[in-house]
Amino acid sequence: NTSEPDVTVETLEDVPEHVLRGLPEDVRLFPSAVDKTRLGVWATKSILKGKKFGPFVGDKKKRSQV
């Protein structure tokens, strides 16, 4: 009798409201294509090269912190 490990799946309820409000118009959060337990960032239409988004809302982290 082998039991499957508990897997936590990230949902939109886990995302702070300010993050959802700060998403650009054509960007959505949906299940990741890379890791089905996480949310991924998806564009609903093509994003032109060089397009800038902002301002950044949140805490910047060093690569070693994530």
Side-chain angles (χ1 to χ4, degrees):
N1 185 3
T2 60
S3 62
E4 295 290 321
D6 289 336
V7 176
T8 302
V9 177
E10 193 173 38
T11 67
L12 287 176
E13 288 79 32
D14 300 321
V15 179
E17 183 61 33
H18 74 277
V19 172
L20 295 174
R21 282 194 316 267
L23 286 174
E25 182 179 329
D26 298 313
V27 174
R28 302 287 182 269
L29 296 178
F30 292 119
S32 170
V34 177
D35 180 348
K36 299 297 183 195
T37 67
R38 304 291 309 269
L39 293 174
V41 179
W42 295 82
T44 59
K45 68 179 188 179
S46 294
I47 299 173
L48 297 175
K49 182 178 180 179
K51 175 77 173 175
K52 294 186 179 187
F53 300 99
F56 174 75
V57 178
D59 300 322
K60 292 186 179 184
K61 303 284 183 184
K62 294 180 182 176
R63 191 176 293 261
S64 62
Q65 294 175 297
V66 295

